[in-house]
Amino acid sequence: MTTKAMQRGFKLILGSQSMARKRILAEMGYDYTIVTADIDEKAIRTEKPEDLVVALAEAKANEIISKLGGESQFAQDPQPTLLITADTVVVYKGVIREKPTTKEEAREFIKGYSGSHGGVVGSVLVRNLKTGVRRGGWDKAEVYFHEIPEQVIDDLIDDAITYKVAGGLTLEHPLISPFIDSVVGGVDTVMGLPKELTEKFISDVL
């Protein structure tokens, strides 16, 4: 199978283990390898969620490049290698929410969304490791929820995936999807990788 990366003459690295990001990139027609970053996300703080997700995507890219031996390793390659990193946070009543770390925090997060809404801010950074050219930015969406029953909240708190996603919620989770009223903005942004920005930045860095 010929993928878009092959057709356009580059290799692609996704700097994420997120199932949703893997699926979105595959839906876009790209094949890729995965290299993940080992960074302390809590050590990077900014006041604005837009600045935070961009800073975290940058930190992930820098750590992965270091892990791969530096950009100089790619300078002589006949084909460019592009690295994609991303980050997502939820903003609820002006407060940034990352992955919940305790059951109490997860319950507080999910109960807050019930009959209410939360904003999602997601970044993407695309870096050409052969040339050093990079482009990054962020996108926003808002998710509106119906009332979420207590039993559903209990079941979500017992599910390990809740602790692996920003704000403790994933749109495609079968427990939560019936209680989503609407999404204003891109569903792909909520899921962790804004397609339009990603496609634009890939073209920009080639």
Side-chain angles (χ1 to χ4, degrees), residues 22-170:
K22 292 178 196 175
R23 189 162 63 250
I24 290 168
L25 210 49
E27 284 172 3
M28 292 170 68
Y30 292 108
D31 63 331
Y32 52 85
T33 55
I34 290 172
V35 183
T36 56
D38 304 309
I39 64 166
D40 178 8
E41 296 190 14
K42 301 281 187 190
I44 298 170
R45 299 291 88 185
T46 67
E47 281 186 30
K48 292 183 179 177
E50 298 86 354
D51 294 340
L52 179 61
V53 292
V54 170
L56 285 166
E58 288 267 11
K60 290 175 185 177
N62 291 338
E63 207 276 332
I64 289 167
I65 290 165
S66 175
K67 187 184 282 188
L68 295 171
E71 282 182 321
S72 60
Q73 301 290 320
F74 300 89
Q76 303 306 318
D77 288 354
Q79 280 190 326
T81 296
L82 307 189
L83 169 63
I84 295 177
T85 52
D87 195 75
T88 307
V89 297
V90 170
V91 181
Y92 178 74
K93 294 185 177 177
V95 178
I96 295 171
R97 290 181 166 181
E98 296 174 89
K99 300 178 185 80
T101 55
T102 65
K103 286 192 172 188
E104 292 73 26
E105 191 174 41
R107 181 179 295 280
E108 178 195 341
F109 282 8
I110 298 166
K111 277 183 78 73
Y113 305 134
S114 182
S116 186
H117 58 95
V120 178
V121 182
S123 67
V124 60
L125 174 70
V126 183
R127 196 148 156 177
N128 186 325
L129 302 184
K130 179 176 168 68
T131 64
V133 175
R134 65 191 199 179
R135 293 289 182 272
W138 53 269
D139 196 16
K140 276 184 178 182
E142 196 83 17
V143 185
Y144 291 81
F145 297 89
H146 298 297
E147 295 290 337
I148 305 170
E150 284 292 334
Q151 185 58 55
V152 172
I153 294 172
D154 289 342
D155 291 344
L156 282 165
I157 287 166
D158 288 336
D159 192 328
I161 192 70
T162 297
Y163 303 90
K164 295 178 182 176
V165 292
L169 274 182
T170 172

Side-chain angles (χ1 to χ4, degrees), residues 1-13 25 28-33 79-82 84 199 202 206:
M1 184 179 81
T2 304
T3 66
K4 282 162 83 171
M6 291 177 187
Q7 290 170 349
R8 294 166 72 180
F10 64 87
K11 298 174 188 171
L12 198 56
I13 296 171
L25 210 49
M28 292 170 68
Y30 292 108
D31 63 331
Y32 52 85
T33 55
Q79 280 190 326
T81 296
L82 307 189
I84 295 177
E199 201 70 80
I202 287 172
L206 286 173

